[in-house]
Structures are given as C-alpha cells and as structure tokens.
C-alpha cells in the first residue's frame, strides 16, 4: 500500500507519495504549514481518481477539463506528469521517465495508491 510522506525542507513542508515498493511516484510543492500540506494530500486523494488524462506529447492533443493529469515532455526529452486540481492548481508532479509507458504507469500508480495511502511524517 502507498503512503504520503510529509517532510520538512529548508523552505517549508512538502510530501512525497510513495508506492508500496517505496518508490516516489509524485511530489508536492513546498507548503508554508503542515495544515496546508495535509490539505494538499486530501486534494490529491480526491482528484487522482476523477482526473482525466491530457496527453500533451501528441500533436493536436485534446484539452480536457480539470481535474486532470497532464503528461508532457521536459527539456531533456523525458516524460513527466502533473496532477491539477479542479481549480487548475498543480497539486503533484512526477519525476522524469525515459519511456512514455513508464509515465503512464506512474499516473496509474497515483490513481491506485493515493486514495488509501497512509500519512506519515519523516
């Protein structure tokens, strides 16, 4: 089972969503308070399941409404995704993936793990 790991960094508090195997599958922005970070976690729980996929790696891709996972390629040519809430705010981002299939697996892993993930503090 996945877990949200809350940790304090120099500039505030953030979370990582980790899969059952311990791999980080999504990361949050840095929040100013633990309460805001926990609200971010709840937003990911709620939005991950309902989110549609917008594949920005294909030409003339179809724009979908929020909440959504946006899959795109970064400057290094790696595949990444970001999860946007209903209000359009980015609530979680991924690492870079070499293969598109791996990025899609990451999105599915967030959908699967986020709703029931435990919250732990590091």
């Amino acid at each position: 089972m996945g877990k949200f790991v809350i940790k304090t960094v120099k500039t505030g508090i953030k979370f990582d969503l980790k899969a059952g195997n311990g791999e980080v599958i999504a990361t949050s922005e840095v929040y100013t308070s633990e309460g805001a970070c926990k609200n971010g976690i709840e937003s990911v729980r709620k939005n991950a399941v309902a989110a549609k996929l917008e594949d920005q790696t294909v030409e003339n891709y179809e724009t979908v409404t929020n909440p959504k996972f946006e899959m795109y390629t970064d400057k290094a040519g790696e595949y990444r995704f970001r999860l946007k809430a209903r209000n359009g705010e980015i609530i979680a981002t991924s690492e870079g993936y070499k293969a598109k299939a791996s990025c899609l697996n990451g999105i599915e892993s967030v959908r699967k793990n986020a709703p029931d993930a435990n919250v732990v503090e590091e």
Side-chain angles (χ1 to χ4, degrees):
M1 183 158 72
K3 63 183 175 187
F4 286 99
V5 180
I6 296 176
K7 57 176 136 195
T8 304
V9 293
K10 269 188 270 193
T11 51
I13 298 174
K14 66 179 260 246
F15 66 79
D16 289 328
L17 173 58
K18 294 186 174 186
N21 63 4
E23 287 282 313
V24 174
I25 47 180
T27 301
S28 73
E29 65 178 341
V30 176
Y31 295 96
T32 52
S33 71
E34 189 172 328
C37 186
K38 287 186 172 167
N39 287 345
I41 289 170
E42 288 313 307
S43 187
V44 170
R45 280 189 207 279
K46 227 180 13 214
N47 289 293
V49 178
K52 298 176 236 24
L53 175 63
E54 182 175 292
D55 185 352
Q56 298 177 353
T57 68
V58 295
E59 261 184 74
N60 305 322
Y61 64 86
E62 184 186 340
T63 305
V64 297
T65 55
N66 293 325
K68 65 182 170 185
F69 284 98
E70 291 178 339
M71 184 168 55
Y72 63 100
T73 47
D74 64 16
K75 287 184 181 80
E78 291 192 321
Y79 293 92
R80 293 180 178 267
F81 66 81
R82 55 188 159 238
L83 175 58
K84 287 189 167 181
R86 281 190 203 289
N87 63 5
E89 269 197 40
I90 297 170
I91 51 176
T93 58
S94 73
E95 62 183 10
Y97 295 94
K98 299 249 183 279
K100 186 173 182 174
S102 301
C103 189
L104 288 167
N105 286 343
I107 291 170
E108 282 313 305
S109 189
V110 171
R111 286 187 211 267
K112 199 172 70 195
N113 285 285
D116 303 317
N118 294 321
V119 177
V120 296
E121 296 186 33
E122 229 172 46

